[in-house]
Amino acid sequence: MASASHTTDLLVIGSGFGGLAIGIRLAARGFQVTICEQRDRPGGRAYVYEQDGFRFDGGPTVITAPWLIDELFSLAGRNPADYLTLVPLDPFYRVFFHDGESFEYTGDQQRMLAEIRRTSLFPADPAGYLELSELTERIFAKGFTELADQPFLNPLDMARILPAMLQLQSYRSVYGLVARYIQDEK
């Protein structure tokens, strides 16, 4: 671990969430950090595109782990409240379909079930949603609670978690996973 007197210059390529986070972590350990970005401003997959007076999110619109932001500010010796205000969204987002129908995604399970009942053509979808929710909670617990701070430096590290990853169906795409539980294409 580097001390505060460390003067090694490090280069981070990309200013998405990951590039900014590693830059902050390295600077907090005393490294001199330069972050390079090919675009006109930071963002990576969270970049905001502007065209003809409109703004478009390029990626994440909902922050699901705000404590990670607090952790980075803490490492930098700063108070996040001095720089930003996180605003709860309700709904998280609204999806509009080509046929004029819409779907509101919220963090409230009962409202989600009501929305699925309102929009889905398949009576089994509410129960499927509950099963999918339970599985995604297990995936989140594995990824954030158990593995987020674990290095995977060699193939044996990956082999150690392979049974859990198979059980959590990590080999599936997001669409493939959701489609196992929700039948309605929308």
Side-chain angles (χ1 to χ4, degrees), residues 73-85:
F73 273 90
S74 177
L75 286 171
R78 305 292 172 98
N79 180 356
D82 293 339
Y83 298 89
L84 58 94
T85 301

Side-chain angles (χ1 to χ4, degrees), residues 54-76:
F54 296 96
R55 297 179 78 191
F56 304 91
D57 283 336
T61 56
V62 177
I63 297 172
T64 57
W67 64 89
L68 295 176
I69 294 171
D70 292 340
E71 177 188 8
L72 290 171
F73 273 90
S74 177
L75 286 171

Side-chain angles (χ1 to χ4, degrees), residues 1-179:
M1 188 161 312
S3 68
S5 63
H6 212 287
T7 60
T8 302
D9 291 339
L10 296 174
L11 178 68
V12 174
I13 300 173
S15 65
F17 287 152
L20 293 173
I22 194 64
I24 292 167
R25 289 178 187 287
L26 290 168
R29 290 184 174 183
F31 291 96
Q32 295 296 315
V33 179
T34 300
I35 299 177
C36 295
E37 174 58 53
Q38 71 179 0
R39 292 189 171 148
D40 60 335
R41 60 183 180 254
R45 289 199 286 169
Y47 190 80
V48 175
Y49 298 89
E50 296 183 32
Q51 181 179 333
D52 302 327
F54 296 96
R55 297 179 78 191
F56 304 91
D57 283 336
T61 56
V62 177
I63 297 172
T64 57
W67 64 89
L68 295 176
I69 294 171
D70 292 340
E71 177 188 8
L72 290 171
F73 273 90
S74 177
L75 286 171
R78 305 292 172 98
N79 180 356
D82 293 339
Y83 298 89
L84 58 94
T85 301
L86 295 179
V87 179
L89 297 177
D90 186 21
F92 290 162
Y93 53 87
R94 185 175 294 125
V95 180
F96 294 93
F97 298 101
H98 70 282
D99 63 2
E101 192 170 349
S102 65
F103 184 93
E104 289 190 353
Y105 190 83
T106 70
D108 180 274
Q109 189 175 70
Q110 292 308 310
R111 286 175 56 198
M112 285 300 300
L113 290 170
E115 191 72 355
I116 292 167
R117 286 186 195 101
R118 182 185 72 79
T119 61
S120 180
L121 300 173
F122 298 91
D125 279 355
Y129 171 77
L130 291 174
E131 288 181 56
L132 177 61
S133 293
E134 189 275 327
L135 175 61
T136 58
E137 286 176 16
R138 291 191 346 241
I139 292 169
F140 186 84
K142 178 61 79 176
F144 274 90
T145 305
E146 295 180 38
L147 300 177
D149 62 350
Q150 300 298 310
F152 294 92
L153 303 176
N154 61 59
L156 291 177
D157 293 334
M158 279 305 290
R160 176 178 50 83
I161 65 158
L162 189 59
M165 296 294 95
L166 291 172
Q167 183 183 22
L168 294 173
Q169 303 177 50
S170 64
Y171 51 88
R172 295 187 189 282
S173 66
V174 172
Y175 177 86
L177 184 65
V178 172

